[in-house]
């Protein structure tokens, strides 16, 4: 199996995001491309980015719900990785001063 084909979508969608990092539609198209390549965590992260940048909540939330069954729950993550991610999230929250953020999405 060619690992590159399963990890990253086409270079076109990634290039579009690099050229227009604040364009929610570019992030959404990249999320769809990642989803098509079965890179579900990256697709989820890109869709959340698109929503944060102003993508229509109806469209974005529908895509997130569609993707949810394909994501691994945190409980299935190895404990060392979970605790490192949790520590990173706590550190970022402490540095940002934000209490309403969601870093583990």
């Amino acid at each position: 199996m060619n690992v590159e084909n399963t990890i990253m979508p086409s270079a076109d969608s990634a290039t579009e995001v690099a050229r227009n990092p604040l364009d929610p539609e570019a992030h959404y198209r990249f999320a769809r491309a990642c989803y098509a390549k079965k890179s579900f965590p990256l697709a989820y992260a890109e869709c959340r980015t698109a929503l944060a940048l102003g993508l229509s909540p109806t469209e974005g939330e529908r895509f997130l719900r569609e993707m949810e069954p394909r994501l691994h729950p945190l409980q299935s993550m190895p404990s060392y990785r979970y605790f490192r991610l949790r520590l990173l999230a706590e550190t970022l929250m402490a540095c940002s001063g934000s209490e309403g953020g969601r870093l583990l999405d």
Side-chain angles (χ1 to χ4, degrees):
M1 172 164 73
N2 186 350
V3 176
E4 287 181 19
N5 288 338
T6 60
I7 295 175
M8 286 298 291
S10 71
D12 294 338
S13 57
T15 302
E16 183 183 2
V17 169
R19 286 186 184 146
N20 304 305
L22 299 178
D23 180 8
E25 293 297 327
H27 283 277
Y28 185 66
R29 284 189 292 276
F30 186 52
R32 283 288 184 182
C34 293
Y35 183 83
K37 290 287 188 173
K38 298 182 177 12
S39 184
F40 303 121
L42 182 55
Y44 187 86
E46 283 298 321
C47 187
R48 295 291 299 182
T49 301
L51 282 167
L53 291 172
L55 180 71
S56 161
T58 306
E59 189 173 3
E61 293 295 332
R62 186 175 340 133
F63 184 49
L64 291 176
R65 282 191 302 275
E66 176 185 332
M67 202 179 329
E68 250 176 33
R70 290 159 181 82
L71 296 171
H72 295 289
L74 285 177
Q75 295 86 350
S76 70
M77 184 183 289
S79 61
Y80 71 91
R81 192 176 293 161
Y82 171 81
F83 287 109
R84 289 178 73 185
L85 182 61
R86 183 173 168 187
L87 176 62
L88 174 64
E90 289 171 359
T91 303
L92 289 172
M93 292 296 285
C95 290
S96 73
S98 170
E99 296 187 22
R102 294 171 45 178
L103 295 174
L104 294 179
D105 282 346

